[in-house]
């Protein structure tokens, strides 16, 4: 598109015109292409801002909203297709009527007026003028019922159902979209810059499970408040002895089904359920 704009640039055509002043944009050859150049410029600006929508991945919430909008486009396309069909059908029918309504004498004029009715651009004075043509008025009423009342409400129902189906996974889609853009961008990142980034992560250093509790390497440590994720059971099982990789793996003294620890946990859950039932029964009583 940019190459097409360059080929239609009025400045280039006026530069080769000996009668036009230097750096002029208005000349005989340039004026012939000015409208085509303006259309290409308008399309280029729209595509430019459309490409800026990729920046929405910087915010997961904004990216999820953009993905939902894209998921809704097929429903809108179906609505526009159905609307075009009804506009064409009623335009052909109205132009066949014997009537003298202004703007309803040909199929293109009638179709334009019907589109205006659907999108609320048809003035009230124009509706009043239809009373002089009863047949035209009846056709317009049937068209309004079909499109404004039926099709528009059907579009709303489709959008609601599609949104409900997409809402459950929109955050997941947003994260996948972010990963896709990151993967596509990785090819343009210089190797030295990537190496500095990997070194800044310090993946070769051991991370701490807790204060003074040194863990494994290859992770990124993120601090959080102690009340953010409360756990009453230590998920890290520790074994004494050597840490050599050649040593035999120690037996899991806490493993197996039906051991004392598992039985105690099941008993504790049963007691909690019984207490909840008893407290609920007292409140009802």
């Amino acid at each position: 598109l940019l190459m097409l704009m360059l080929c239609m640039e009025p400045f280039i055509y006026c530069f080769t015109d000996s009668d036009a002043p230097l750096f002029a944009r208005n000349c005989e050859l340039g004026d012939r292409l000015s409208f085509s150049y303006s259309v290409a410029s308008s399309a280029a600006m729209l595509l430019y801002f459309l490409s800026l929508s990729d920046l929405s991945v910087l915010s997961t919430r904004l990216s999820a909203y953009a993905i939902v909008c894209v998921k809704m486009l097929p429903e809108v396309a179906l609505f526009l297709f159905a609307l075009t069909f009804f506009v064409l059908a009623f335009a052909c029918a109205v132009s066949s009527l014997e009537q003298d309504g202004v703007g309803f004498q040909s199929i293109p004029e009638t179709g334009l007026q019907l589109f205006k009715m659907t999108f609320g651009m048809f003035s009230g004075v124009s509706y009043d003028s239809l009373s002089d043509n009863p047949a035209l008025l009846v056709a317009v009423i049937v068209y309004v019922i079909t499109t404004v009342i039926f099709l528009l409400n059907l579009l709303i129902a489709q959008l609601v159902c599609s949104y409900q189906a997409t809402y459950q996974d929109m955050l997941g889609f947003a994260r996948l979209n972010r990963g896709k853009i990151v993967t596509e961008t990785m090819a343009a990142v210089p190797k030295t810059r990537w190496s500095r980034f990997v070194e800044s992560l310090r993946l070769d250093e051991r991370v701490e499970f807790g204060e003074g509790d040194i863990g494994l390497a290859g992770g990124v440590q993120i601090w959080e408040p102690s009340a953010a994720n409360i756990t009453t059971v230590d998920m890290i099982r520790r074994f004494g002895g050597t840490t050599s990789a050649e040593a035999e793996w120690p037996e899991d003294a806490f493993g197996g089904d039906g051991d004392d620890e598992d039985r105690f946990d099941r008993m504790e859950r049963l007691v909690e359920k019984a207490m909840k039932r008893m407290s609920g029964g007292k409140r009802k009583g």
Side-chain angles (χ1 to χ4, degrees):
L1 184 58
L2 294 178
M3 292 299 298
L4 179 63
M5 292 176 60
L6 180 61
C7 295
M8 295 187 300
E9 175 62 49
F11 169 75
I12 298 177
Y13 290 91
C14 293
F15 184 77
T16 58
D17 192 351
S18 58
D19 297 333
L22 187 62
F23 302 120
R25 296 178 58 87
N26 297 323
C27 60
E28 183 178 357
L29 293 176
D31 293 340
R32 295 177 183 177
L33 297 173
S34 61
F35 178 75
S36 301
Y37 180 78
S38 65
V39 173
S41 300
S42 178
M45 292 304 299
L46 289 176
L47 292 177
Y48 172 73
F49 279 95
L50 184 62
S51 63
L52 287 180
S53 62
D54 289 341
L55 296 177
S56 62
V57 298
L58 298 177
S59 172
T60 305
R61 189 176 184 85
L62 184 60
S63 179
Y65 177 77
I67 291 175
V68 168
C69 292
V70 173
K71 295 289 185 180
M72 300 296 110
L73 289 181
E75 307 298 336
V76 178
L78 289 175
F79 165 76
L80 293 177
F81 176 78
L83 178 63
T84 304
F85 173 80
F86 280 106
V87 167
L88 181 61
F90 277 90
C92 294
V94 169
S95 60
S96 303
L97 287 175
E98 185 178 353
Q99 43 84 19
D100 56 354
V102 179
F104 294 92
Q105 298 303 315
S106 64
I107 294 178
E109 290 181 350
T110 305
L112 179 60
Q113 301 302 323
L114 294 178
F115 271 118
K116 288 182 178 180
M117 293 178 187
T118 304
F119 296 113
M121 302 169 61
F122 201 71
S123 63
V125 178
S126 301
Y127 276 113
D128 294 336
S129 62
L130 298 178
S131 59
D132 298 334
N133 298 278
L136 178 59
L137 179 61
V138 171
V140 168
I141 291 175
V142 175
Y143 170 79
V144 171
I145 294 175
T146 305
T147 58
V148 178
I149 298 178
F150 176 71
L151 282 184
L152 284 178
N153 286 280
L154 180 61
L155 173 64
I156 295 172
Q158 287 179 308
L159 291 178
V160 170
C161 294
S162 181
Y163 179 81
Q164 289 178 347
T166 309
Y167 178 78
Q168 303 294 334
D169 302 321
M170 68 176 184
L171 289 178
F173 285 136
R175 294 188 178 99
L176 288 175
N177 188 37
R178 175 184 291 183
K180 175 186 175 183
I181 294 177
V182 170
T183 304
E184 293 174 352
T185 309
M186 285 293 298
V189 177
K191 186 176 181 180
T192 55
R193 185 176 181 182
W194 172 253
S195 299
R196 289 198 304 268
F197 171 73
V198 174
E199 292 176 359
S200 66
L201 295 179
R202 301 177 181 177
L203 297 177
D204 55 340
E205 298 182 5
R206 294 176 178 269
V207 296
E208 290 184 339
F209 292 137
E211 186 176 358
D213 187 5
I214 305 300
L216 304 175
V220 178
Q221 189 173 12
I222 299 177
W223 295 94
E224 66 178 12
S226 58
N229 296 283
I230 301 176
T231 55
T232 57
V233 179
D234 189 3
M235 302 303 296
I236 303 173
R237 295 188 176 181
R238 311 168 194 277
F239 301 91
T242 179
T243 58
S244 175
E246 299 178 356
E248 184 179 355
W249 191 261
E251 289 187 24
D252 187 0
F254 302 98
D257 295 332
D259 59 1
D260 295 338
E261 185 178 356
D262 291 340
R263 286 197 296 269
F264 179 77
D265 290 339
R266 288 196 295 269
M267 186 180 301
E268 186 178 6
R269 288 194 293 269
L270 289 174
V271 172
E272 290 179 356
K273 291 181 180 180
M275 293 295 294
K276 289 181 180 179
R277 292 175 183 174
M278 293 175 60
S279 60
K282 291 180 180 180
R283 291 177 181 176
K284 292 181 180 179

